[in-house]
Amino acid sequence: MKPFLFLTDLDNTLVGDDEALEELNRHLSQHREQYGTKIVYVTGRSPILYQELKTEQHLLEPDVLVVSVGTEIYRDGSQTPDPAWVEQLSHKWDRELIVATTAHFSDLVPQPPSEQRPFKVSYFLSGEAAVEVLPQLEDLLEERQLDVKLVYSSGKDLDILPRGGNKGTATAFLRQQFQMPPEQTVVCGDSGNDVAFFQSGEERGIIVGNAQPELLKWHYANPSINRYLAKADCAGGILEGLKHFGFLE
Ligand code: GLC
Ligand code: MG
């Protein structure tokens, strides 16, 4: 067996079925010990909400923690975000102008202060309002020459991110650092902010059985043999996918 680079979303992907999570944890920690497999958590949560989840769930200590939808990378338990990644995202990012632009839309309800991050501006937005608001907001941001991406997840969360800062670009950055080829890299997710994980189509992708409609819609519109849609939910679906791709026996 060869080492692989394992990247997974947390909420409703890794976490959500405690029993399956225990089983997956056993497999992953053994693989890490025996073959040097790397475990990376890639979540929409801020560092604060990640710490909160850690007190509620049995999570392994990851080799790398990526929070705020790919915009902050922490290696080996460090408290300082990877400076090269910060530098890369800083270009053309104007947080104040983004916030001023969103003020034109009364349907956008700011998420708590903990979820407002250096490279992430987040709101709650209902699915109903999103249909009208998202294209209008996108146009206005573009008019103001803001090089950003709108990411809508789970019918309620809107994140505004630098165009180059998402789960997919963070994966590519780490793959290069670990010198891991795409066929030895696997990404797992369940919702809209995970689309970027699967977008390059080079890595092996696992979508858990309980995925959100927005991700499933994208999945069916962009077929790839490198992507596996699991039958089981959460960690059970990850285990199923890891076996499908031959990462686990
Ligand atoms: C997490 C974050 C939230 C974000 C959402 C979707 O729930 O806490 O800020 O909007 O993920 O990315
Ligand atoms: Mg999720």
Side-chain angles (χ1 to χ4, degrees), residues 181-198:
E183 61 276 13
Q184 287 299 115
T185 302
V186 60
V187 294
C188 318
D190 78 297
S191 84
N193 73 10
D194 299 312
V195 167
F197 249 163
F198 304 113

Side-chain angles (χ1 to χ4, degrees), residues 9-14 43-44 154 167 189-194 212:
D9 169 53
L10 295 177
D11 291 277
N12 303 310
T13 300
L14 185 69
T43 176
S154 315
K167 292 189 177 191
D190 78 297
S191 84
N193 73 10
D194 299 312
Q212 291 287 326

